[in-house]
């Protein structure tokens, strides 16, 4: 809930202006928290009339100079182009480099850049080894941002969930699939902790704590069946029979199969132990309780 994130977050310096490129699930949440903290926030969408569109950003049109004027903090949530180029840098690199006021730049990337660790832990010192095309493109964009020498932080995110975007939706519409792949785990992060982490890291950065890469994940990587079973128990929903992965993959899309081809646990010790961020939802159980509560409220 917004109030919980705001309560835990320190205000940004006076006259801060946060520009968010990409007003999707995470971008909108971060924008909302920033505004509740009294920050001037402008958030982009690709099309006119989209929810939460303070301005339009895409590669087909020029951006007004007024948008970046006075910006102190910039966050990109936009995925790479198919050629591996970063769309924000492609259009705005010169403007960003010429800015005298930008104190922090963030880029939301993916823990997919680590590739498959066979279920072992990965941390920020683990050499990236992306195997999926989309993760190869993400790593390319990370390097492009780091090469700018802007005050950049790369936030690597695992599977994102939150109210309206969790297992409860598939339970409600009957599309839940109980795919059984022993030993397979996924790391996750609640959207509120993405927003909380962004505001937390911005404040730390101005204090001189400036790690270039930070994993933003909860404490408990878990098998997908454990997550589904817990949600079904809360929602009092029955479940279909388990299907071995070897059988289930025959009807999966290439995208879905790609998620199951990698197995890793994401270490968050840098964020939570060394830097001191306190997770609002430290595991999928606390996070799913929040998602279900929001369902009942709405």
């Amino acid at each position: 809930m917004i109030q919980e994130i705001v309560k835990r977050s320190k205000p940004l310096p006076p006259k801060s202006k946060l520009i968010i490129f990409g007003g999707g699930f995470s971008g909108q949440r971060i924008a909302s928290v920033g505004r509740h903290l009294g920050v001037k926030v402008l958030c982009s969408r690709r099309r006119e009339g989209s929810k939460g569109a303070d301005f339009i950003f895409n590669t087909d049109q020029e951006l007004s100079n007024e948008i970046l004027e006075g910006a102190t903090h910039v966050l990109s949530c936009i995925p790479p182009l198919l050629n591996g180029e970063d769309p924000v840098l492609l259009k705005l690199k010169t403007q960003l480099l010429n800015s005298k006021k930008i104190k922090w730049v963030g880029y939301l990337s993916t823990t997919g850049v680590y590739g498959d660790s066979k279920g072992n832990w990965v941390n920020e010192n683990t050499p990236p080894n992306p195997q999926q095309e989309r993760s190869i493109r993400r790593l390319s964009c990370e390097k492009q941002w780091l090469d700018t020498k802007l005050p950049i932080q790369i936030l690597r995110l695992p599977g994102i969930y939150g109210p309206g975007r969790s297992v409860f939706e598939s339970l409600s519409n009957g599309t839940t699939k109980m795919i059984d792949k022993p030993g397979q785990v996924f790391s996750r992060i609640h959207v509120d902790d993405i927003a909380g982490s962004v505001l937390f890291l911005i404040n730390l950065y101005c204090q001189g704590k400036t790690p270039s890469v930070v994993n933003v994940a909860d404490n408990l990587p878990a098998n997908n069946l454990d997550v589904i079973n817990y949600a079904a128990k809360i929602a009092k929903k029955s479940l279909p029979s388990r299907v071995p992965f070897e059988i289930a993959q025959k009807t999966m899309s290439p995208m879905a199969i790609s998620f199951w081809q990698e197995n890793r646990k994401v270490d968050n010790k840098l964020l939570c132990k060394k830097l001191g961020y306190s997770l609002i939802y430290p595991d999928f159980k606390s996070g799913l309780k929040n998602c279900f509560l929001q369902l009942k409220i709405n």
Side-chain angles (χ1 to χ4, degrees), residues 6 27 31 48 52 94 101 103 153-155 215 229 257 267 293:
V6 173
E48 293 280 357
T94 300
K101 292 191 174 183
K103 300 175 182 178
Q153 276 191 319
I154 308 296
L155 280 63
N215 290 335
N229 280 319
I257 290 174
D267 187 311
L293 176 62

Side-chain angles (χ1 to χ4, degrees), residues 152-167:
I152 178 73
Q153 276 191 319
I154 308 296
L155 280 63
R156 290 178 178 161
L157 310 177
I160 302 169
Y161 74 102
R165 186 170 154 176
S166 73
V167 66

Side-chain angles (χ1 to χ4, degrees), residues 165-217:
R165 186 170 154 176
S166 73
V167 66
F168 291 115
E169 282 65 51
S170 65
L171 284 172
S172 295
N173 61 32
T175 59
T176 300
K177 295 180 180 179
M178 299 288 284
I179 300 172
D180 190 2
K181 189 178 183 185
Q184 178 82 32
V185 294
F186 296 99
S187 289
R188 299 166 182 81
I189 189 68
H190 191 290
V191 68
D192 285 0
D193 276 311
I194 297 174
S197 295
V198 166
L199 274 299
F200 177 81
L201 290 169
I202 286 175
N203 275 306
L204 276 192
Y205 206 93
C206 70
Q207 298 172 26
K209 297 179 180 179
T210 60
S212 58
V213 177
V214 182
N215 290 335
V216 180

Side-chain angles (χ1 to χ4, degrees), residues 45-212:
R45 299 303 301 268
R46 284 179 292 179
R47 298 180 184 87
E48 293 280 357
S50 298
K51 182 179 179 182
D54 297 305
F55 66 98
I56 303 304
F57 177 80
N58 56 52
T59 55
D60 298 326
Q61 62 188 70
E62 295 301 314
L63 184 70
S64 167
N65 289 330
E66 294 179 5
I67 300 299
L68 281 176
E69 186 177 341
T72 54
H73 304 84
V74 175
L75 177 70
S76 176
C77 313
I78 298 179
L81 300 174
L82 289 177
N83 63 2
E85 285 195 82
D86 183 90
V88 176
L89 287 178
L90 181 65
K91 298 288 289 186
L92 302 173
K93 183 177 179 179
T94 300
Q95 287 176 256
L96 291 170
L97 290 173
N98 289 338
S99 171
K100 305 299 183 185
K101 292 191 174 183
I102 293 179
K103 300 175 182 178
W104 179 90
V105 180
Y107 177 66
L108 298 192
S109 185
T110 171
T111 54
V113 299
Y114 294 115
D116 181 24
S117 69
K118 310 299 182 185
N120 293 313
W121 289 95
V122 296
N123 61 33
E124 291 83 357
N125 295 318
T126 303
N129 184 30
Q131 289 138 36
Q132 306 295 338
E133 284 297 326
R134 62 182 180 277
S135 299
I136 292 171
R137 291 192 291 267
R138 282 287 186 182
L139 184 60
S140 172
C141 287
E142 286 189 9
K143 291 177 178 177
Q144 290 168 46
W145 278 106
L146 291 168
D147 286 346
T148 65
K149 307 304 180 184
L150 287 162
I152 178 73
Q153 276 191 319
I154 308 296
L155 280 63
R156 290 178 178 161
L157 310 177
I160 302 169
Y161 74 102
R165 186 170 154 176
S166 73
V167 66
F168 291 115
E169 282 65 51
S170 65
L171 284 172
S172 295
N173 61 32
T175 59
T176 300
K177 295 180 180 179
M178 299 288 284
I179 300 172
D180 190 2
K181 189 178 183 185
Q184 178 82 32
V185 294
F186 296 99
S187 289
R188 299 166 182 81
I189 189 68
H190 191 290
V191 68
D192 285 0
D193 276 311
I194 297 174
S197 295
V198 166
L199 274 299
F200 177 81
L201 290 169
I202 286 175
N203 275 306
L204 276 192
Y205 206 93
C206 70
Q207 298 172 26
K209 297 179 180 179
T210 60
S212 58

Side-chain angles (χ1 to χ4, degrees), residues 34-55:
R35 291 179 181 123
H36 275 79
L37 287 167
V39 179
K40 181 177 182 179
V41 181
L42 297 179
C43 189
S44 85
R45 299 303 301 268
R46 284 179 292 179
R47 298 180 184 87
E48 293 280 357
S50 298
K51 182 179 179 182
D54 297 305
F55 66 98

